[in-house]
Amino acid sequence: PLIVHSRDADEDTIDILRQEMQKGLFKGLIHCFTSTKYLAEEAVKLGLYISLSGIISFKNAGAIREALTNVPLDKLLIETDAPYLAPVPNRGKRNEPSFVQFTNNTLAEIKKITPEECARITTDNFFRLFDKVPRPQEAA
């Protein structure tokens, strides 16, 4: 899948993605989403996923959280972006994979679902997007 990191270039990003999609459909995601409702909604219309880092837990990230309100759950992923962007309550620390639970909890709050349901959905989304990655066997 294509991984797009876009900063302050929403219209250009969508224009380029639309042009490339016309040449042939592909899977992809907007990595470390920190943008607008426009970019989120247009990316989803193109079939892309939106991946969220610890930024969504920051006090000043209300606009980012608002941009996610219409993004369907089946198009969301969470990520660490380690070693950067540690979520609250670890903001300012070196980020690590174990902190992704806090990003998950924030997304669950935004989407008004349980953290367990959010983790299950975003994990399923990961394996749908990265379909060449074998899914680990569930513990018996």
Side-chain angles (χ1 to χ4, degrees):
L2 177 71
I3 298 175
V4 177
H5 190 99
S6 178
R7 287 279 187 274
D8 301 322
D10 291 6
E11 290 184 23
D12 289 339
T13 299
I14 291 302
D15 287 345
I16 292 167
L17 289 169
R18 281 185 186 133
Q19 290 170 23
E20 293 304 314
M21 282 281 184
Q22 289 176 356
K23 297 175 187 175
L25 297 179
F26 54 86
K27 291 181 172 187
L29 66 81
I30 304 295
H31 157 70
C32 195
F33 179 81
T34 58
S35 200
T36 63
K37 189 175 189 174
Y38 170 77
L39 180 64
E41 290 178 356
E42 294 302 311
V44 167
K45 285 180 190 174
L46 291 172
L48 302 178
Y49 290 77
I50 306 295
S51 187
L52 308 165
S53 71
I55 289 176
I56 65 168
S57 71
F58 296 179
K59 203 181 308 180
N60 62 349
I64 297 168
R65 290 189 294 273
E66 177 64 28
L68 300 173
T69 55
N70 292 330
V71 176
L73 281 166
D74 69 348
K75 288 297 183 182
L76 292 170
L77 295 168
I78 53 175
E79 62 179 85
T80 62
D81 202 38
Y84 309 107
L85 307 174
V88 172
N90 297 296
R91 187 171 181 184
K93 295 180 182 175
R94 180 181 170 88
N95 202 357
E96 60 181 63
S98 68
F99 295 168
V100 77
Q101 66 181 309
F102 301 109
T103 304
N104 179 74
N105 293 347
T106 300
L107 180 57
E109 287 176 25
I110 293 167
K111 291 301 193 177
K112 297 177 176 50
I113 60 176
T114 66
E116 294 79 15
E117 185 177 10
C118 189
R120 181 188 54 76
I121 290 168
T122 56
T123 299
D124 288 345
N125 294 346
F126 171 85
F127 286 107
R128 230 184 349 272
L129 176 61
F130 295 99
D131 57 1
K132 293 192 181 353
V133 176
R135 192 173 191 127
Q137 295 296 323
E138 299 286 328

